[in-house]
Amino acid sequence: MQTRIALAPGADLPGFRAAVRGLVARGVKPREVLWETGASLFGAAPPQDGPAFSLPRAAAELIGLVICHRDPARHALLYEMIWRLRHGEPHLLEMRHDKLTHRLEMLAKAVRRDLHKMHAFVRFRRVEDAQGERFLAWFEPDHHILEATSGFFVNRFRSLVWSILTPEGTLHWDGTRLEIGPPGQRGDVPERDEVESGWLDYYQSIFNPARLNTAMMQKEMPRKYWRNLPEARLIPELVAQAPARVEEMIARAAAMSAKRDPQKAVAAMAAQTPTTLAALNRIITASPPFLAGSTRAVLGEGVMQPAIAFIGEQPGDEEDAQGRCFVGPAGQLLDAMLARAGIDRAECYITNAVKHFKFEQRGKNRLHQSPTTGEIKHYRWWLLKELELVRPRLVVALGASAALAVGGQPVCVTQARGPAQLGDWPAFVTTHPSYLLRLPDEQARRAAEAAFLQDLRAVRRLAQTHA
Amino acid sequence: MTASLDPALTAKLRILADAAKYDASCASSGAPKRAAGKGGLGSTTGAGICHSYTPDGRCVSLLKILLTNYCLFDCAYCINRRSSNVPRARFSVREVVDLTLAFYKRNYIEGLFLSSGIIRSPDYTMEQMMLVAKSLRQDHGFAGYIHLKAIPEANPWLIEQAGLWADRLSINLELPNETSLARLAPEKQAPAISAAMGQMQQRIVEAKAERRRFSPSGQSTQIIVGADATDDAAVLAKSAALYGDFKLRRIYYSAYSPHQAVSAALPAKPPPLQRENRLYQADWLLRYYGFTATEIAAGGEGGMLDLEIDPKLAWALKNRGQFPVDVNQAPREMLLRVPGLGARAVEKIIAARRFSRLRLADVARLSSGLKRMLPFLITEDHRPAQTDRLDLRQRLAVQPSLF
C-alpha cells in the first residue's frame, strides 16, 4: 500500500517536515511512500504533522540544502536517509562512501554551488524615480534557492532597497522587510545602469591577454550564466584580440621612454621621516586615536636634550580635557615629589607612552583603563621617534607600561626597579605616581612615597653621572 | 551619480586597473564573518566570492586598482617603474571610495584591493591609501572586504594605522633573495621588508589576543618567479620560512612576464606558466600536506620542480619504497602523501573507515583522483602490482589541462 504525499513545488521545507513527522509517527517505510510535487495532484495526501524528533545537526543541514535541488527524487532520498539514521545507522552521514550519503552529498554540493554562483553573479541595476533609489536584478538559478539565498543579500545590502527577480519568484527588500513575491520577468529590470560601462572598462583592463586561458574561465563561469552577466558580452572580442594586444605590449616594451629621470624627487623621498619634534607632533595630532573616545592627542612637553625624560603611561581625564600631560592628580603628586627630590620639572622632558586617553564611561565619570600591550606597541614607534628627537641623557619609565614602551619587552616594575637599559636608552624604572594615589592604606602609602622619593633622588644622581 | 560615469574617471580606471593586474593576489577570503549594520553596506562571508572570471581564467573578486601608477621607484620587473613608458594617472581618495561603493552596490565585487606607485614619499603614499580605507569604513559604514598593499618603506606607524581599517595587509617580497632585490629594485631593501612583515605579524597576534581589529585576515605576499636565477628549491625554502616566521596566510607566485614593458636588466623570455602552477601545488603541499620544502624539491631535478607531473606524484615516484599505502590502516600523514588523494578526501576516509573496510568503489566515491592513486593504494579489493613499473611515470603523466 502506497502513501502519496503532495508537496508544494520548489523547496517546500515546512511541508516536507510535516509529512516526515507524520510518516515517522506511523512507521511508514521509505519504499511505501510516493512523493509528488505540483498543484495538479489528485488523491495525494496533504502533509500530516506528527511529533518532532531529533536528527544529527549534519542531517538537518543536508536536508536544508537538498530540499532546494530540482531533482524530483530528493524527497524520497532524504526520507530514506532519515529512516536509516533512525533504524540502526546513526553514523550514516559520516560514511561518505555509502551510496545514499554520496548521492545526497552530490545534490547538496550542486545546491551549494548554485547558491555561491548566485551570490557571485547577480548584477544589480540602479533605478531612481518618484519612489526613490532601487536596485534591480534578474537571475536564473538552477535550483529552488531563492529563499535560501535571501539572508546573504539582506546582510550585504541592508541599507539599500532592492529586488531580485527570477523565473520562480521575486525577493524584495525595502530596507527593513523581506517579501517573497510571484515570478518576475527579465523585462522588468532596466536595460541600462550608469555604472555598468565602468565595470566593463574595469573587466577588460584587468584581463591579461598574455595569459589567455578560456578553459579555466569557463570552468568557473560556465556559459549558461553569460546571458545575465553584462561583462560576458566582451569575452569573444577580448579573446579574439588577445594575440594582437600581446604584440602591442611587446612593441611598447621595446620603445623605451626618453623621459628625464626625476632624480630630485627620488632624493627627496628619503626625507620623509620627521626630523623635528614639531613635525612629529603634527603627525601625532593629525592621526586618529587607536583608542576611540579620547578628545585629542596629548603631546610631550619640556626642553630638548634634557638630563631626564619622564615617560608616563597615558593621559588621564584631566590631561585629555586640558591637552597637556601630567596636569591631573598624579601630575600634581609628581611635581611635589620632584621638588622634594631636587629635580626641576622645567628642565626635564615629560611625555606618555600612549598619546590618547583610554577610559570606560561610568555615568558622568570617565574611568581610566590601562592600555593593552598591543595598544602600547601601536604607540611605541612615535615614542621612540620622540625620544630620538628629544635626546634625553636618562629615560625614566614611570610604571610597567612606560618600561614596555621604551624597551619593547614586558617589565615587572617591582623586580626591575632601579637603573636599567631599555632598548637603546640608559633608563631608570620606577612606579607610576598614580600607584601611590591608589594605595588605600595610609602606612603603605607613606612607605611607597618614601621609596618613590628615594628613586627620584637616585634618578637625579644618575642623570648627573650621564652628563 | 549622473547618467553615466565621467569619461575622465573611466579613462583613469582603465589605466589604473591595467597597472594593477600583475599583482596575482585577489582573494577575499579569511575575513571574519560580518554583516552590514543598520544603515551600513557590505558583508564578508569568510570564504570569499569570485564575482567574475576574465578570459585569462583569473577570478575577479575585488576592485583591484592602483591609487596611482606614477612611481618614484625603479624596480626593473615592474611596469610602473619610473623609467617605464606607460600612460600615467592618479585617483583621488574620494574617487576610489565612490567607485568602490558604486561597484559594490551592484554586486560586481567583494571589496577593494588597493595598491599604489610611490609618489612624493612612501609615507605620503601609505597615508593616502590608509585614508581610502578609513573613509570607506568611517564615512560610509562599509563592511565589505578591504585589502591594502602596505609599503614597507613607510614609517611603521602608518602601517599600524592601515591595519586598523583593512581586512588584510600585504607586502610584496617580489624577489626571493636579497641580491636580486638589490640588483633589480634599487629603492627597496630586504631588511625593511622583513621588519615590516615582522611588525605586522606582532600586531596581528596581539590584536587577536586582545580581541581588537587589526588586519584580521592576516598578511600575504607575492614572489615574482623567473625574473632572476633563483630556483624552485630556493623559492620554496623562502616560502616555508615566511609561513613559519610571519605566519603568512598566502604566498602568491607570479610568473614574470617580459610583456610588462620590462627593463633590459631582465631575461627576454618568460618562464613557462606551468612553473607558476607547480609552485602553487608545492605551496599547498607545504601548508596542508605535511611536506617540507626539501622533500618537495627532491621530487624534481637540480632544484627545479618537474613541469610534466605534479610535485606530489613526483615525490611519490622517487619514494616508491613507501608505497603502496593501505587505505584502511595507514595514518593520516601517509594518506596525505598518496598522489591523487586530497586533504578533504583523507578526512572522509578516516571517518568512513571506522565503520567499514573500504573497497575501490568506496574510494571512488570519496575522491575524484582514483586513477592516479591506483598504483599507490591498497584497498580491501585492490593491491597494486605496478608500483615498481619503470613506465609508471609515463602512464601517469597526464597532459596538463590548465595551460
Side-chain angles (χ1 to χ4, degrees):
Chain A
M1 158 84 196
Q2 290 257 309
T3 303
R4 292 176 73 185
I5 301 283
L7 296 176
D12 181 11
L13 187 58
F16 179 68
R17 185 185 291 119
V20 168
R21 284 177 181 174
L23 294 169
V24 164
R26 289 181 289 133
V28 183
K29 295 195 174 81
R31 65 182 140 80
E32 296 166 349
V33 190
L34 193 63
W35 297 88
E36 291 171 349
T37 54
S40 63
L41 296 166
F42 256 111
Q48 277 179 306
D49 222 331
F53 55 91
S54 68
L55 279 177
R57 181 193 286 257
E61 273 171 31
L62 202 58
I63 293 169
L65 287 167
V66 172
I67 200 84
C68 301
H69 202 284
R70 62 161 186 247
D71 188 337
R74 63 189 181 281
H75 304 108
L77 293 168
L78 285 172
Y79 185 55
E80 193 187 338
M81 171 192 85
I82 293 167
W83 180 269
R84 285 176 62 185
L85 281 169
R86 294 175 54 82
H87 290 85
E89 294 183 80
H91 298 290
L92 179 63
L93 296 185
E94 289 155 73
M95 297 158 64
R96 303 286 284 271
H97 61 294
D98 179 272
K99 279 182 187 159
L100 176 65
T101 307
H102 178 66
R103 174 136 183 226
L104 287 168
E105 285 293 344
M106 297 305 282
L107 295 180
K109 190 176 168 189
V111 171
R112 254 187 236 115
R113 182 175 159 95
D114 202 30
L115 283 166
H116 189 80
K117 293 301 180 195
M118 181 160 172
H119 297 163
F121 296 153
V122 157
R123 297 283 181 265
F124 285 112
R125 289 189 169 132
R126 182 176 169 275
V127 182
E128 195 167 11
D129 55 22
Q131 303 164 44
E133 181 189 66
R134 284 171 297 141
F135 290 84
L136 305 177
W138 166 254
F139 195 75
E140 295 163 290
D142 282 346
H143 301 286
H144 311 297
I145 57 169
L146 188 64
E147 272 190 78
T149 197
S150 62
F152 171 85
F153 289 104
V154 169
N155 278 336
R156 178 155 293 197
F157 301 111
R158 192 177 295 280
S159 59
L160 307 179
V161 174
W162 50 263
S163 304
I164 301 174
L165 286 63
T166 78
E168 267 192 15
T170 300
L171 287 181
H172 176 68
W173 173 258
D174 66 2
T176 49
R177 224 165 54 87
L178 183 75
E179 240 179 80
I180 297 179
Q185 283 179 358
R186 183 192 304 269
D188 299 340
V189 172
E191 296 261 329
R192 290 179 201 295
D193 177 278
E194 69 231 358
V195 175
E196 209 163 271
S197 69
W199 167 241
L200 301 193
D201 282 333
Y202 175 69
Y203 180 81
Q204 49 190 316
S205 306
I206 204 72
F207 160 59
N208 186 351
R211 303 182 54 127
L212 199 61
N213 184 354
T214 49
M216 186 73 169
M217 169 186 65
Q218 291 200 42
K219 183 168 161 258
E220 298 295 342
M221 196 167 81
R223 273 174 186 276
K224 66 180 177 192
Y225 293 109
W226 290 14
R227 65 175 178 271
N228 294 322
L229 290 168
E231 67 270 26
R233 65 170 179 264
L234 299 174
I235 292 172
E237 203 182 328
L238 288 178
V239 173
Q241 289 175 350
R245 279 181 67 191
V246 174
E247 292 298 312
E248 185 201 10
M249 285 159 87
I250 293 169
R252 194 168 62 185
M256 275 297 122
S257 137
K259 224 171 37 176
R260 204 159 43 86
D261 204 18
Q263 289 302 339
K264 259 191 191 163
V266 173
M269 212 171 29
Q272 62 172 355
T273 301
T275 51
T276 64
L277 188 58
L280 176 67
N281 283 342
R282 273 198 297 278
I283 292 173
I284 297 176
T285 309
S287 298
F290 290 119
L291 313 169
S294 69
T295 315
R296 71 189 94 216
V298 177
L299 304 171
E301 48 186 69
V303 294
M304 302 297 280
Q305 298 173 40
I308 309 167
F310 289 96
I311 318 293
E313 183 186 66
Q314 64 164 343
D317 189 43
E318 197 61 34
E319 285 82 5
D320 182 62
Q322 293 190 30
R324 297 191 56 197
C325 62
F326 279 97
V327 291
Q332 287 157 20
L333 177 61
L334 179 66
D335 285 348
M337 299 299 274
L338 286 176
R340 284 171 67 187
I343 298 174
D344 185 355
R345 176 169 167 172
E347 287 177 7
C348 300
Y349 186 82
I350 190 156
T351 191
N352 281 306
V354 168
K355 304 297 188 226
H356 293 99
F357 179 35
K358 183 184 180 186
F359 58 88
E360 190 188 339
Q361 192 83 42
R362 285 264 183 84
K364 278 188 180 167
N365 294 328
R366 303 193 297 174
L367 293 187
H368 162 275
Q369 269 198 313
S370 292
T372 61
T373 304
E375 285 158 355
I376 291 167
K377 288 199 180 171
H378 267 297
Y379 284 88
R380 181 163 184 254
W381 309 102
W382 282 340
L383 180 69
L384 294 185
K385 195 82 221 165
E386 189 181 4
L387 288 175
E388 193 186 309
L389 294 168
V390 172
R391 304 220 329 256
R393 294 205 294 275
L394 179 69
V395 173
V396 178
L398 300 168
S401 297
L404 167 66
V406 179
Q409 302 292 328
V411 168
C412 170
V413 173
T414 42
Q415 281 169 21
R417 194 162 188 161
Q421 179 73 25
L422 295 177
D424 295 339
W425 296 97
F428 192 99
V429 177
T430 181
T431 50
H432 194 278
S434 67
Y435 165 73
L436 308 178
L437 294 175
R438 286 199 303 269
L439 286 172
D441 179 62
E442 179 62 25
Q443 209 178 342
R445 202 172 80 98
R446 248 183 275 145
E449 261 185 32
F452 187 58
L453 186 59
Q454 206 182 342
D455 278 353
L456 290 182
R457 288 186 174 130
V459 163
R460 195 192 65 201
R461 286 192 298 274
L462 198 57
Q464 282 162 357
T465 63
H466 280 293
Chain B
M1 269 193 216
T2 49
S4 64
L5 289 179
D6 174 8
L9 183 72
T10 51
K12 285 198 230 178
L13 174 60
R14 283 197 296 271
I15 292 173
L16 293 169
D18 190 86
K21 72 180 165 208
Y22 302 103
D23 203 306
S25 81
C26 168
S28 53
S29 57
K33 282 194 181 187
R34 266 198 313 264
K38 207 172 171 228
L41 174 72
S43 61
T44 45
T45 58
I49 296 175
C50 296
H51 282 269
S52 195
Y53 289 82
T54 38
D56 47 16
R58 286 193 164 172
C59 128
V60 182
S61 182
L62 303 167
L63 172 60
K64 179 160 64 176
I65 47 175
L66 301 191
L67 187 62
T68 176
N69 66 339
Y70 287 102
C71 190
L72 287 171
F73 282 20
D74 206 27
C75 308
Y77 49 80
C78 179
I79 190 169
N80 302 313
R81 69 187 183 285
R82 66 173 187 262
S83 57
S84 153
N85 202 19
V86 290
R88 309 274 177 171
R90 178 180 174 180
F91 277 133
S92 70
V93 168
R94 174 75 189 274
E95 283 168 337
V96 178
V97 168
D98 287 350
L99 258 181
T100 306
L101 294 172
F103 276 20
Y104 196 87
K105 285 178 182 174
R106 288 155 179 83
N107 205 40
Y108 301 156
I109 54 169
E110 283 297 283
L112 174 67
F113 175 13
L114 187 63
S115 182
S116 183
I118 310 291
I119 40 167
R120 209 177 301 178
S121 70
D123 272 8
Y124 174 78
T125 313
M126 192 69 233
E127 188 178 21
Q128 294 293 303
M129 290 166 67
M130 184 272 288
L131 288 174
V132 170
K134 183 184 165 195
S135 171
L136 278 169
R137 295 278 193 238
Q138 270 199 334
D139 307 337
H140 301 277
F142 180 69
Y145 195 88
I146 300 180
H147 178 166
L148 293 182
K149 186 64 61 183
I151 302 170
E153 294 77 17
N155 269 301
W157 53 76
L158 283 159
I159 296 176
E160 307 264 310
Q161 303 247 324
L164 300 179
W165 312 110
D167 285 294
R168 175 172 281 179
L169 290 176
S170 61
I171 293 176
N172 280 0
L173 190 66
E174 308 290 22
L175 294 166
N177 72 62
E178 285 194 31
T179 327
S180 301
L181 198 67
R183 187 169 64 90
L184 298 175
E187 284 82 15
K188 284 179 181 275
Q189 285 182 338
I193 296 176
S194 306
M197 282 182 173
Q199 177 202 350
M200 294 206 302
Q201 164 59 7
Q202 272 195 26
R203 289 304 93 76
I204 290 168
V205 169
E206 286 156 4
K208 205 158 268 176
E210 294 165 11
R211 297 172 177 281
R212 280 181 297 108
R213 205 188 141 79
F214 186 90
S215 189
S217 172
Q219 55 172 328
S220 62
T221 196
Q222 169 172 286
I223 297 177
I224 296 174
V225 181
D228 65 349
T230 312
D231 63 14
D232 292 341
V235 171
L236 289 172
K238 184 77 199 175
S239 297
L242 290 171
Y243 284 127
D245 296 347
F246 302 126
K247 304 283 174 288
L248 291 193
R249 285 292 183 85
R250 277 295 289 274
I251 296 174
Y252 292 88
Y253 305 92
S254 180
Y256 142 78
S257 154
H259 306 135
Q260 301 166 28
V262 296
S263 86
L266 290 173
K269 254 183 71 168
L273 286 179
Q274 188 63 270
R275 184 178 171 196
E276 184 186 290
N277 188 33
R278 295 291 177 232
L279 279 169
Y280 275 113
Q281 290 172 326
D283 185 89
W284 234 254
L285 296 184
L286 272 182
R287 286 190 291 157
Y288 304 118
Y289 289 80
F291 282 81
T292 65
T294 324
E295 282 176 318
I296 299 167
E301 291 296 335
M304 296 303 277
L305 297 175
D306 197 322
L307 292 179
E308 281 173 24
I309 54 176
D310 71 81
K312 198 175 172 191
L313 178 58
W315 180 85
L317 287 172
K318 287 199 173 179
N319 292 274
R320 297 189 199 195
Q322 307 209 31
F323 298 96
V325 161
D326 188 339
V327 74
N328 285 302
Q329 278 167 22
R332 173 183 279 113
E333 306 82 66
M334 211 47 226
L335 286 176
L336 284 170
R337 298 204 166 214
V338 175
L341 206 47
R344 256 189 270 175
V346 166
E347 292 313 311
K348 289 184 204 168
I349 285 174
I350 288 171
R353 72 186 185 184
R354 289 191 291 137
F355 305 102
S356 57
R357 307 273 305 166
L358 300 178
R359 310 173 67 83
L360 262 191
D362 295 327
V363 177
R365 281 189 286 270
L366 294 168
S367 165
S368 54
L370 189 71
K371 203 184 139 205
R372 260 186 310 159
M373 66 182 90
L374 277 181
F376 302 98
L377 203 65
I378 297 171
T379 68
E380 188 67 2
D381 57 347
H382 166 79
R383 179 168 282 274
Q386 43 188 150
T387 312
D388 296 329
R389 289 178 68 128
L390 288 175
D391 63 347
L392 189 53
R393 181 191 156 92
Q394 284 68 41
R395 295 166 65 93
L396 291 170
V398 283
Q399 287 303 308
S401 63
L402 284 181
F403 295 99

